Amino acid sequence: MEVTRKLSLKAAQQVPWSSATSLLHEKDGVRRAWPMLPCLAAVLLIGLLGLYVRPSGRSLLGEDPLKAWDPQVKAVGSAAVAYPKPKATSQKQVHIFVCTDEYDLRPLAVLINSTISNAMHPNRLHFHMVVPADRLFTREYLKSLFPNTHIEMASKFVDIHEVNKHITFRNDSGARKELISPYNFLPFYLPEVYKDIDRFIYLDSDIVVKGNIEELYNTDLEGNAAAAVEDCSQRFAIYFDFAQLAEIQAREGPDRPAWLPPEHFDPEACVFNRGVLVVNSKRWMEENITRAIIWWMDEFQKSKRNLYKAGLSQPPFLLALYGKHKVLDGMWNVRGLGRPNLSELEREYFFNMFSMNYTRKPFVSPFADTAHILHFNGAYKPWKGKRKRESTDDIISLCGRKERGLECAELWWEYLSPAANDFLKPFAKKDYLVEE
């Protein structure tokens, strides 16, 4: 009997994890007579995966004293200290949210592995995965890799149809079509849906965490609704039609909402990226940030000309949080690592500020070798390419000074072994899980 590699969604939800695992790995489709064999195989598989998820044994940027390749062991200096399984504790939990509708689980595995490997107290981390309802089994696969880590699927949901009503894509806006996903906008709804969590970190799924995430969580927000990294190599001018913004700000009476700032938006204001956020839920709701973002999205929808360009979720976020955010240290979001080239504005910025003279290609992130967070935003994701570049392949992006920089994708692959990649890669196919 031929055995298919596709696991029915219904079967995955109805059978125990050990059974689902055996379905994934049976070679001949024949059940053994010994009833304990599937259980034993599942235990062995989970143990092996715990080892496989660790990256290869060296850091490309030199020795990292906080990095532990085994997610269950924290290595500090020469001493290895095992940390306990998660349990209720009076110590402050660090809540981390990720929103994604991708089928591929490898980005989540890398994000979790890098975060717990570099955290001082991994047992305090609590990951909340906001994924489509038909993919809640994701937790079981991630838990098999990280059995001692708090991982839960979102128990509260936003009406996706309501979110979609406000999303508008225009071919002439310069935005990538894949950014139209409603899961790109769900982070803006989290403070209202999870109002019982007073503070949390939001991370995009295309991230590697190299710093101690607790330091980020403990940031003093100074009364602001959120904290984000500013990047002055990008300015508001690249996103917005300021003539239209001026018309909107000139409105009076009921047509002028309370969240419009009294002063005009500054075209030279530095851009702050939404991929890494520290959020105070109460303050966010008091400032009505979610409603302000939706309102700006509706203004774009009504505009005859493009009110903003070069993005879908980033521009309304910038307008709604203008003057209402704490600026984080730039090392907490070293971004653009999935891009193939620098813009002219970025080249001018590096030359004027740091006397660095770069060509347009490849993209260079000169400070990535000291980054706390590497952000692979852009069209070129490491997991969608080759683990090792061929000599004839183009270099997409370099991390560190150009004369000694490394290919940024290599830093992502450090947190996913070849065996773990082979195990998780089949889920990248949309039809891998099908309903009967």
Side-chain angles (χ1 to χ4, degrees):
M1 178 179 65
E2 182 181 356
V3 180
T4 178
R5 287 181 55 84
K6 297 179 181 178
L7 174 64
S8 140
L9 176 59
K10 291 181 180 178
Q13 293 173 333
Q14 292 171 1
V15 299
W17 166 235
S18 59
S19 299
T21 306
S22 65
L23 283 173
L24 276 172
H25 291 277
E26 282 184 15
K27 298 292 186 182
D28 55 9
V30 178
R31 293 283 185 178
R32 301 303 180 192
W34 184 32
M36 294 301 295
L37 186 57
C39 297
L40 177 60
V43 171
L44 290 174
L45 176 63
I46 290 173
L48 287 172
L49 289 174
L51 295 174
Y52 287 158
V53 72
R54 63 182 183 180
S56 54
R58 68 182 184 90
S59 167
L60 293 179
L61 293 181
E63 193 64 27
D64 186 341
L66 293 180
K67 185 176 295 181
W69 297 139
D70 183 347
Q72 309 315 317
V73 176
K74 199 74 190 115
V76 182
S78 60
V81 182
Y83 68 87
K85 292 182 179 181
K87 59 183 179 180
T89 175
S90 59
Q91 295 174 324
K92 184 181 296 184
Q93 286 191 324
V94 177
H95 293 276
I96 303 167
F97 280 83
V98 183
C99 302
T100 180
D101 60 351
E102 278 205 31
Y103 286 84
D104 201 329
L105 301 183
R106 290 175 295 173
L108 296 180
V110 166
L111 184 150
I112 294 172
N113 193 26
S114 62
T115 304
I116 64 178
S117 293
N118 293 300
M120 290 301 295
H121 304 97
N123 57 311
R124 297 182 188 176
L125 307 185
H126 197 137
F127 293 91
H128 304 261
M129 302 297 171
V130 183
V131 299
D134 65 352
R135 265 165 265 169
L136 298 185
F137 61 87
T138 297
R139 177 183 181 276
E140 303 305 328
Y141 292 91
L142 294 176
K143 285 295 287 184
S144 73
L145 299 175
F146 310 102
N148 284 3
T149 301
H150 292 278
I151 301 174
E152 70 173 35
M153 298 299 106
S155 57
K156 304 175 183 179
F157 295 95
V158 178
D159 185 347
I160 295 297
H161 298 293
E162 174 62 27
V163 177
N164 275 324
K165 282 169 35 180
H166 305 285
I167 301 173
T168 305
F169 176 79
R170 295 178 176 177
N171 289 322
D172 61 347
S173 69
R176 304 198 315 274
K177 187 68 177 285
E178 60 264 32
L179 298 178
I180 201 170
S181 165
Y183 285 79
N184 206 28
F185 298 83
L186 288 190
F188 307 144
Y189 294 81
L190 294 176
E192 297 190 344
V193 176
Y194 288 88
K195 59 186 69 175
D196 53 321
I197 298 177
D198 59 349
R199 173 184 285 234
F200 64 84
I201 293 171
Y202 169 76
L203 299 176
D204 276 353
S205 61
D206 53 355
I207 270 175
V208 170
V209 178
K210 293 182 63 64
N212 178 17
I213 201 73
E214 290 178 78
E215 294 180 15
L216 177 62
Y217 182 83
N218 291 325
T219 299
D220 182 1
L221 297 185
E222 300 175 359
N224 290 289
V229 169
E230 281 191 350
D231 182 355
C232 292
S233 70
Q234 295 185 333
R235 306 285 180 165
F236 266 48
I238 68 174
Y239 282 103
F240 303 106
D241 181 332
F242 281 87
Q244 288 191 71
L245 286 180
E247 292 175 6
I248 291 172
Q249 288 189 285
R251 296 176 185 173
E252 297 180 351
D255 291 331
R256 182 185 175 86
W259 49 74
L260 274 180
E263 72 280 4
H264 289 296
F265 291 101
D266 182 4
E268 293 302 308
C270 299
V271 167
F272 44 98
N273 186 271
R274 55 163 287 286
V276 178
L277 298 174
V278 184
V279 176
N280 180 311
S281 297
K282 181 179 179 181
R283 188 64 180 149
W284 182 284
M285 290 187 290
E286 289 174 348
E287 295 279 357
N288 219 350
I289 302 297
T290 301
R291 183 62 204 136
I293 292 173
I294 295 171
W295 186 85
W296 280 112
M297 291 168 65
D298 291 343
E299 287 295 309
F300 176 79
Q301 200 170 71
K302 294 185 295 184
S303 63
K304 294 180 179 179
R305 306 186 312 276
N306 289 326
L307 175 60
Y308 48 76
K309 58 186 178 181
L312 289 179
S313 62
Q314 177 76 4
F317 166 81
L318 290 173
L319 295 172
L321 267 294
Y322 185 80
K324 299 177 182 178
H325 68 284
K326 163 73 180 287
V327 179
L328 292 170
D329 184 287
M331 293 299 98
W332 284 112
N333 190 354
V334 174
R335 53 92 209 154
L337 307 186
R339 290 173 46 198
N341 58 268
L342 291 163
S343 69
E344 289 303 316
L345 183 60
E346 288 167 330
R347 293 180 62 209
E348 290 175 12
Y349 175 80
F350 286 130
F351 183 78
N352 293 335
M353 295 296 295
F354 308 104
S355 299
M356 298 175 180
N357 190 12
Y358 293 135
T359 56
R360 289 195 74 239
K361 290 186 176 183
F363 182 91
V364 179
S365 182
F367 308 115
D369 49 358
T370 56
H372 302 320
I373 286 180
L374 300 171
H375 190 181
F376 290 84
N377 59 316
Y380 295 87
K381 307 299 185 185
W383 59 94
K384 294 183 179 179
K386 300 174 183 177
R387 188 180 189 95
K388 291 293 183 181
R389 183 180 62 87
E390 304 292 340
S391 59
T392 55
D393 294 337
D394 291 334
I395 297 175
I396 301 301
S397 56
L398 287 175
C399 283
R401 297 293 185 94
K402 191 170 184 180
E403 62 274 11
R404 59 182 175 86
L406 302 165
E407 290 187 55
C408 298
E410 292 185 38
L411 304 181
W412 188 91
W413 285 108
E414 277 279 292
Y415 289 92
L416 193 71
S417 73
N421 179 63
D422 290 344
F423 171 70
L424 294 173
K425 189 174 181 179
F427 297 101
K429 299 177 181 178
K430 187 175 181 180
D431 61 347
Y432 186 81
L433 294 169
V434 294
E435 294 197 44
E436 291 180 340

